[in-house]
Amino acid sequence: MTQLQRAREGTVTDEMERVAERERVAPEFVRRQVADGQAVIPANVEHGRLDPMIIGSEFATKVNANIGNSEEASGVEDELEKLHAAVHYGADTVMDLSTGGELNRIRAANVEHSPVPVGTVPIYEAVKRADAVADITPELLLDVIEKQARQGVDYMTIHAGVLMEHLPLTDGRKTGIVSRGGSILAQWMEENGMQNPLYAKFEDICEIFARFDVTFSLGDGLRPGCLADAGDDAQFAELETLGELTSIARDRGVQVMVEGPGHVPMDRISEQVERQQEVCDGAPFYVLGPLVTDVAPGYDHITSAIGATEAARAGAAMLCYVTPKEHLGLPDAEDVRDGLAAYRIAAHAADVANGREGARDWDDALSEARYDFDWERQFELALDPERARSYHDQTLPGDNYKEARFCSMCGVEFCSMRIDQDARDADGEMSEIETETDVEESPAAEVNRPPVGTHEVEGAPLADVDLDREYPSADD
């Protein structure tokens, strides 16, 4: 039985117990949220190393990191390095979006060594296994989906909402269809003159997902690829179909979240989140960005993190990070680090703004350490401790400067906090600053408590990887 089915029958599973511990809430609350379809616990029964987590608007905002190779770059070792970076810097889930060689080996290695849920987009493997896009058959798609489910993939992006009748609605767009899965299926429908096979076979996919407890991530194949295309008829026609598919999947006991747009003007983000929540009956919303401007190639981790904060504040449950390489090239491990830093900030900022219990304790504790010139504590509490220490030590590297009441930005003479402290000590009329936040005892969910890499477990994901191991071939 799936987490959804067991929740509906009143059972609190081990996964729900673990989620409740991590979120600092009652297990029964977790069960009710899952039973109502307002939250999902992606937890394939074949994913043995998984440390369960939950995605839903009533829980701490989560962040996904996309990894994966392309025809041009990256192999198993590189992908496991990215997985390690993603886990270490705080990804709540990872998606293997590989489209190059060794798809099966990379996927098997990721699932085996990942303590976080692993997602995929099965249409990519189907393309690799067919001679041409038009040659993809419904049977091939189901075979790929079942094989990936058997491997332990926890959630899959299924672009079942892109229908033949939607395609003319993309005419006149500035950037057409920018989703890889959406464009592949549009080509398939055009060349075969048939309805989307993922839509036609959706109930068969539900049967496979129910068997392994794979969670649907209903893909937004007609999402806007620029500000000018945001909120057009094509996007919202697909959203209506995704609402119908959400209901069908839930009726068959399968967990569902819904993917959201990638480029949306700042002032329209909240209305898009609210519309998805209404159409999809509160299913968790998983958004890429969204990017709030199109003018910053090389900095799209920033343009998208701005939109991600607003989306999460409006109710989006999980944010898909964007790296500095977006639109430009395949991210490496350092890009994964930068993308996650931007999105962990966005998620945390939204949780603070939404009054998530205990979320601001982390901020208060770091602020207190900063005022006290407790440099070691500041590094310890930082979102990225290694980078915070490195930046400080570039100009003041000596151990004696870890006791200093200044940094190199202002120097000793102009340090405002030192001046303030001295003034308080001198006249006795200014009250002392309170520094009493105990972040270790905070009621905040684990993702709102340092260190960020809370999913990491001993030996995962790089320490015990045998790169010479023969993982199953595509035919096994």
Side-chain angles (χ1 to χ4, degrees):
M1 296 179 68
T2 66
Q3 295 291 323
L4 176 57
Q5 290 167 332
R6 294 164 80 183
R8 285 173 172 171
E9 72 172 16
T11 301
V12 174
T13 65
D14 291 343
E15 291 81 4
M16 295 175 201
E17 290 277 5
R18 172 59 178 144
V19 164
E21 176 188 3
R22 298 182 65 185
E23 297 285 332
R24 304 295 177 98
V25 297
E28 175 60 19
F29 178 72
V30 173
R31 185 199 67 77
R32 290 198 307 269
Q33 286 286 299
V34 173
D36 292 341
Q38 308 300 294
V40 297
I41 301 176
N44 188 319
V45 296
E46 299 293 337
H47 190 170
R49 182 164 243 168
L50 181 68
D51 184 7
M53 52 81 71
I54 194 165
I55 302 165
S57 61
E58 293 300 315
F59 301 93
T61 305
K62 304 305 189 299
V63 174
N64 170 70
N66 287 341
I67 57 177
N69 74 351
S70 70
E71 288 286 2
E72 283 69 33
S74 193
V76 175
E77 185 172 4
D78 294 325
E79 290 310 311
L80 286 172
E81 183 182 0
K82 292 180 194 175
L83 173 63
H84 176 78
V87 171
H88 181 70
Y89 292 109
D92 297 294
T93 76
V94 296
M95 289 202 78
D96 178 1
L97 304 186
S98 295
T99 58
E102 298 189 293
L103 296 187
N104 206 68
R105 267 190 92 217
I106 289 171
R107 187 186 317 111
N110 280 335
V111 171
E112 180 174 352
H113 298 290
S114 177
V116 306
V118 175
T120 61
V121 186
I123 191 70
Y124 298 166
E125 182 178 351
V127 170
K128 299 291 288 185
R129 287 173 58 176
D131 293 330
V133 168
D135 295 332
I136 296 172
T137 65
E139 292 72 27
L140 173 59
L141 284 168
L142 292 175
D143 180 64
V144 168
I145 289 169
E146 181 166 0
K147 186 194 75 173
Q148 293 192 9
R150 288 186 183 278
Q151 284 183 302
V153 171
D154 300 288
Y155 67 97
M156 298 186 201
T157 294
I158 303 295
H159 296 93
V162 183
L163 304 185
M164 289 185 68
E165 52 267 39
H166 298 160
L167 301 186
L169 300 176
T170 64
D171 294 344
R173 278 184 162 189
K174 283 190 180 295
T175 53
I177 299 174
V178 299
S179 159
R180 288 195 297 206
S183 64
I184 291 165
L185 288 162
Q187 179 183 347
W188 188 95
M189 287 185 279
E190 289 282 358
E191 294 187 6
N192 287 284
M194 298 170 62
Q195 187 57 276
N196 182 345
L198 294 175
Y199 179 81
K201 293 292 184 180
F202 191 75
E203 293 188 7
D204 294 325
I205 300 172
C206 287
E207 291 182 8
I208 297 171
F209 278 22
R211 205 181 322 149
F212 296 93
D213 201 0
V214 177
T215 298
F216 272 110
S217 185
L218 292 177
D220 54 338
L222 300 180
R223 68 175 178 265
C226 62
L227 300 190
D229 295 341
D232 68 359
D233 291 342
Q235 178 192 344
F236 288 142
E238 181 186 24
L239 179 61
E240 292 295 328
T241 305
L242 297 182
E244 298 170 10
L245 296 174
T246 296
S247 179
I248 293 171
R250 285 174 174 173
D251 287 346
R252 285 151 182 77
V254 182
Q255 301 184 92
V256 183
M257 58 183 170
V258 177
E259 296 184 13
H263 295 248
V264 182
M266 186 80 164
D267 60 309
R268 300 184 63 186
I269 291 174
S270 61
E271 70 183 45
Q272 293 231 1
V273 176
E274 291 163 6
R275 184 164 182 163
Q276 182 275 344
Q277 292 286 278
E278 180 181 353
V279 171
C280 298
D281 191 29
F285 201 21
Y286 165 31
V287 298
L288 176 66
L291 285 75
V292 296
T293 181
D294 299 327
V295 301
Y299 299 93
D300 279 337
H301 60 311
I302 298 173
T303 61
S304 62
I306 294 168
T309 306
E310 180 67 10
R313 197 177 69 84
M318 185 160 75
L319 310 173
C320 183
Y321 85 167
V322 172
T323 76
K325 291 274 183 63
E326 186 77 11
H327 303 115
L328 300 172
L330 186 72
D332 59 19
E334 190 63 19
D335 297 315
V336 170
R337 177 183 186 174
D338 289 342
L340 275 167
Y343 271 70
R344 283 260 58 102
I345 293 167
H348 179 69
D351 286 344
V352 171
N354 286 334
R356 196 77 65 195
E357 186 175 13
R360 212 192 72 189
D361 290 345
W362 186 0
D363 303 78
D364 291 348
L366 194 145
S367 297
E368 292 161 6
R370 179 174 289 147
Y371 187 79
D372 288 341
F373 296 103
D374 187 341
W375 293 104
E376 293 296 342
R377 182 63 171 161
Q378 284 188 63
F379 303 150
E380 177 186 326
L381 290 171
L383 183 105
D384 185 339
E386 297 100 325
R387 180 157 293 176
R389 182 183 293 275
S390 172
Y391 281 3
H392 173 271
D393 290 356
Q394 282 179 9
T395 50
L396 298 175
D399 289 342
N400 57 308
Y401 290 115
K402 303 302 187 298
E403 307 293 331
R405 297 173 67 210
F406 63 92
C407 72
S408 63
M409 182 174 184
C410 296
V412 63
E413 183 177 358
F414 287 96
C415 177
S416 59
M417 289 188 180
R418 182 200 60 76
I419 294 169
D420 181 78
Q421 288 180 358
D422 290 348
R424 291 175 189 279
D425 292 341
D427 61 21
E429 294 183 5
M430 299 171 68
S431 62
E432 293 185 2
I433 304 295
E434 293 185 5
T435 56
E436 299 179 353
T437 303
D438 187 349
V439 72
E440 284 76 14
E441 296 299 321
S442 171
E446 284 190 16
V447 298
N448 278 319
R449 298 156 54 88
V452 170
T454 53
H455 290 286
E456 198 155 16
V457 295
E458 185 177 356
L462 272 183
D464 59 351
V465 172
D466 180 4
L467 294 173
D468 295 322
R469 171 181 170 180
E470 290 297 324
Y471 289 99
S473 69
D475 297 328
D476 292 335

